[in-house]
Amino acid sequence: MMKKPYLFFTAIFSLLLANNTSAEQNKLEVSGFGTLATATADTNKYQFRTDRSQAEFAKKDGFAFKPLSLIGVQLDYSVTSNLEFVGQFVYREQDEQNLDSITQMAFLRYDISPAWQVRAGRLAADIFHFSDTRDVSIAYPWVKVPTEVYGIVPARSFDGADISYTTPFSDFNLSIKGFWGSGESDFSSGAYSPITFNDLRSIGVEFVAFDWSVALKHTQTEAKNDNADSAFVSTSVAQLQPFWSGANAFADSLSLRGATIQYTSVYFNRFLGDWDLSGELSYIDSDSIALRPSFNGFLNLSYLYGAHTFYALYSFAEADPYYLSEEQPSFPINANTAELAIFVEEVASTLAHRQQSFSVGWRWDLRENLAFKAQVERTDIKARGTGLRARDGLVVDDEDGVAHTLFLALSFSF
């Protein structure tokens, strides 16, 4: 069943394209991209997954293809000289598979002037720098974008509209873009339990020159609902009101429903001959305990030698661990509430990731549209910060750990 009105538009538009005359077909461009990748880990305790929406993960003593392998097709259709339809459909491992979930983009783009552009429909989530090319592995040197930055926010697209303005200066180009819309993000790994984001507003400023670029993005939104775990714990805490006067207020603070969430990121890139230095820092915060302040980032150094790129990558996700006895000393912990107290800490810890990764890798451009990649990654994981990994049990029961993961990939475009 189609959930969005635009999906009906997409289906009708696709049928019209399929029945166009040959004279009209020169207005249609079909392209695509894909990744055939495998991953294997040296531990069964904290195994790799590319983001929080996945149940598939890298296996010890075996190879997992589903976490990173995907195929995408893009349609670009010129309606007029300044009006274009863009549709992008990506099939990958995720909890739910239907037309809605595989539609990465479906929008109309209108060029008001050489400087001004408007888009409306389903757009890539412009939260971080690689939001547009997150799944296009051939567009960057690594096998995958850094999990510590991009794995926390599995939402890849939102429904809405944006407007952008671009103007050249003597040494660089300046771009400013604003977006408004709504969408879903799946924070589950074993069952489909999406969170809906309303009134999502984003503003981005980017400076681009020949050998450097800097981009700043800020996004604010409101969560419409909780996932199942947060809703259960929040309701259970509220039932303590007869015994604890602060129960209702604390229950509200545990809920994501109605919480304001903010994302801020800064990206930079600098080319120095055959060397490329780049990095991104992001800060995530909300007024809910379920999504507490998190500081994330990566730093990459690449060296280009002919058809080969060698790189070293450091990435991290850091949030303070949550202990109920310290944060809420008045919470009535006894034999009857001990289990609930653990669940409160679990809700406060699930999105509070604490890990850092060191990677080295090699990219070999076999052709202009085909690249082989190999990457070895060491990840140090802290207790109560293991939510980015595929694991069993509660996050609050996890201890410090180390995981090594090997990635092999063929990235291509057509």
Side-chain angles (χ1 to χ4, degrees), residues 29 41 61 75 187 234 246 248 252 264 267 275-276 280 311 383 406:
E29 292 185 8
D61 302 324
L75 308 176
F187 283 114
S234 178
N248 284 334
D252 289 341
T264 303
Y267 171 84
W275 294 89
D276 178 19
E280 186 168 10
Y311 59 86
L406 170 66

Side-chain angles (χ1 to χ4, degrees), residues 193-205:
S193 180
I195 295 175
T196 300
F197 297 119
N198 287 334
D199 194 21
L200 188 144
R201 291 156 289 166
S202 177
I203 183 71
V205 180

Side-chain angles (χ1 to χ4, degrees), residues 19 21 23 27 32 91 137 139 141 147 150-151 185 209 241 258 271 279 291 302 329 341 359 367 399 408:
N19 289 283
T21 64
K27 296 181 178 181
Y91 182 84
S137 177
T147 303
Y150 291 83
S185 183
Q241 184 65 30
F271 291 103
L291 183 57
S302 298
S359 302
R367 296 180 180 177
E399 300 175 347
L408 300 173

